Amino acid sequence: MPAAPLRLGLAGLGTVGIGVVKIVQAEADLIAARTGRRVVITAVSARDRSKNRDADLSGYAWEADPVALARRDDIDVFVEVMGGHDGPAKASTEAAIAAGKDVVTANKALLAHHGQALAEAAEAAGRVIRFEAAVAGGIPVIKVLTEGLAGNRIKRVMGVMNGTCNYILTRMQSAGLPYDQVFEEARQLGYLEADPNLDVGGIDAGHKLSLLAAIAFGTRVSFDQVELEGIGSVSIDDIRLAEDMGYRIKLLGVAQMTGRGLEQRMTPCLVPIASPLGQLQGGTNMVVLEGDSVGQIVMRGAGAGMGPTASAVMGDVIDLARGLRIATFGIPASALVEAQPARAATPAPYYLRMTLLDKPGALAKIATCLGDAGVSIDQMRQYGHEGAKAPVLIVTHKAAPDDVAHALTRFAATGVLVGDPVAIRIEEV
Ligand code: NAP
Ligand code: HSE
């Protein structure tokens, strides 16, 4: 007797939802061949039933309310691709779990805010939540972490996980345009989220990093502990000068377990131009995983868009069709430990840019501030003169972030500084 089909209830018929419909319809036979059963959509939900969605939805029941969809007896898996960390996404995901359905979601915001509670509820109900599409779009990073690298202790997780920010930074660099102009371009191209601060403020990428950190280090999702800094203050001057020193600026996520606790940061960092991260152009994502046995793995691919995101959703659906059931964050939710947050204290070289008054002893005063704070200079460059002012660039040897911050506070008292200095961490990649 043929196996019973796996029946999906699809909440959300936007970019991702319609991508899922297209794959389910176009690849029905391939999926059946790979899983041994058919995967079908039973019912769908969105806000506006009359909208033209460029897909044939006539065979699916319509539910105006995603919570009602989640509770239907004729679905096995609730696919949540609506978005939002509260409201209908949360209510319908909770309803699905309570009704005994597995859940597949692309919603990083939902899991970054409520991942622990939802994972506990799912496990109590004997269900699973899968969320490959929520992190780095089409890159199957969650599968790699939970399955392929399950025999490793993960040392560090790094990555560029917001395509919009990488588009803006690489466009500034290649066209020599200032941030505001490229931001406007990105808006016109439709790259920005409805709330652009989710992208340029680093929040969207921070959500993603917090989910990877939970899997990598067996800790409860702790998005509120991610050190966040967006790209709004990255200047074209820094992009040009960093390039001159052999670096590119990326909105880089880094999570690592240190002796002091879990360090999670999503901040602008410099990376060497020649590194894979330094070479990453446009709206592409890259995730770098480091395990004790495997060493370093680099994955690059589309972080957004209909095809790549639906590909990730379908990877999760197909796992469920095959009977592969892995705990939401790789280990039982009850075994996840509270992470001790460690604000970035891992020493790193720093890029410092400042404008000094061009007078005797100015540089010596700055060097003294650095030396007194225990920060050693590796390279230094002075760029001509602008009247009585001189732009100066310093790259330090590895230094503790607190020591660098301490030195910067002492710069002001030297009386030789014009404006505020800029300090950007150089990540060893
Ligand atoms: P979208 O194009 O804006 O589509 C959202 C869909 O959800 C729409 O069909 C909308 O209905 C429906 N919806 C919203 N509120 C609803 C409600 N209260 N009841 C029923 N339906 C509701 O969004 P998307 O880009 O597909 O993103 C969906 C999710 O995937 C989000 O969590 C997003 O963060 C995540 N994601 C997206 C991408 C990407 O490339 N787009 C990549 C990775 C992850 P109407 O169409 O009727 O308005
Ligand atoms: N706004 C996100 C990005 C979409 O630019 O990467 C995918 O999460």
Side-chain angles (χ1 to χ4, degrees), residues 156 158 252 270-272 275-278 288 290 296 427-429:
R156 186 167 62 154
M158 267 189 301
L252 188 69
L270 267 61
V271 295
S275 66
L277 283 161
V288 179
E290 292 171 357
Q296 190 180 75
E427 195 67 34
E428 296 194 302
V429 297

Side-chain angles (χ1 to χ4, degrees), residues 10-19 44-51 53 62-67 80-85 87-89 92 105-110 132-138 193 198 204 208 302-310 312-313:
L10 181 62
L13 295 170
T15 306
V16 183
I18 292 299
V44 297
S45 179
R47 280 176 297 211
D48 180 357
R49 191 171 187 178
S50 64
K51 204 186 259 186
R53 299 182 190 273
W62 177 270
E63 289 283 0
D65 178 5
V67 172
E80 187 282 299
V81 286
M82 294 180 290
H85 64 75
S92 57
T105 179
N107 193 335
K108 55 262 177 179
L110 175 72
E132 186 67 77
V135 182
E193 300 272 352
L198 288 175
D204 167 81
K208 296 166 182 169
M306 180 179 280
T309 314
V313 169

Side-chain angles (χ1 to χ4, degrees), residues 106 108 133-137 161-166 191-193 198-199 204-205 208 283 285 303-305 309:
K108 55 262 177 179
V135 182
M161 302 176 204
N162 183 277
T164 304
C165 287
N166 203 54
Y191 288 179
L192 288 158
E193 300 272 352
L198 288 175
D199 286 317
D204 167 81
K208 296 166 182 169
N285 282 197
T309 314

Side-chain angles (χ1 to χ4, degrees), residues 64-301:
D65 178 5
V67 172
L69 173 67
R71 292 186 177 136
R72 282 177 72 105
D73 289 337
D74 58 359
I75 71 162
D76 305 304
V77 178
F78 179 65
V79 181
E80 187 282 299
V81 286
M82 294 180 290
H85 64 75
D86 283 309
K90 178 166 178 273
S92 57
T93 300
E94 288 169 344
I97 292 165
K101 321 292 182 189
D102 294 318
V103 174
V104 173
T105 179
N107 193 335
K108 55 262 177 179
L110 175 72
L111 293 177
H113 287 276
H114 306 294
Q116 182 66 28
L118 289 171
E120 285 175 11
E123 281 170 34
R127 299 291 106 197
V128 294
I129 302 173
R130 305 296 305 264
F131 57 97
E132 186 67 77
V135 182
I139 302 176
V141 55
I142 291 171
K143 204 165 182 56
V144 171
L145 262 181
T146 51
E147 296 177 51
L149 300 186
N152 284 254
R153 281 192 180 274
I154 301 300
K155 296 163 76 174
R156 186 167 62 154
V157 173
M158 267 189 301
V160 167
M161 302 176 204
N162 183 277
T164 304
C165 287
N166 203 54
Y167 167 81
I168 291 175
L169 293 173
T170 52
R171 174 91 177 122
M172 286 171 74
Q173 168 238 320
S174 61
L177 294 172
Y179 174 81
D180 289 344
Q181 199 172 328
V182 179
F183 177 90
E184 202 41 50
E185 251 184 43
R187 186 200 292 284
Q188 279 167 20
L189 287 166
Y191 288 179
L192 288 158
E193 300 272 352
D195 172 5
N197 196 43
L198 288 175
D199 286 317
V200 297
I203 298 164
D204 167 81
H207 287 155
K208 296 166 182 169
L209 183 73
S210 71
L211 300 180
L212 292 186
I215 300 171
F217 304 110
T219 49
R220 289 168 166 242
V221 182
S222 47
F223 167 66
D224 56 340
Q225 292 166 7
V226 178
E227 191 181 330
L228 277 185
E229 187 188 327
I231 61 167
S233 58
V234 174
S235 77
I236 185 66
D237 287 344
D238 287 315
I239 287 186
R240 274 201 208 105
L241 295 174
E243 182 100 4
D244 200 35
M245 301 289 271
Y247 298 102
R248 293 223 166 103
I249 302 181
K250 298 287 169 193
L251 180 66
L252 188 69
V254 180
Q256 57 192 339
M257 190 59 82
T258 70
R260 296 161 289 101
L262 178 63
E263 197 173 302
Q264 301 178 84
R265 50 194 155 82
M266 183 59 69
T267 59
C269 285
L270 267 61
V271 295
I273 291 176
S275 66
L277 283 161
Q279 290 293 311
L280 190 69
Q281 294 289 313
T284 314
N285 282 197
M286 182 171 282
V287 184
V288 179
L289 303 175
E290 292 171 357
D292 59 350
S293 297
V294 75
Q296 190 180 75
I297 287 183
V298 179
M299 289 180 283
R300 173 184 176 284

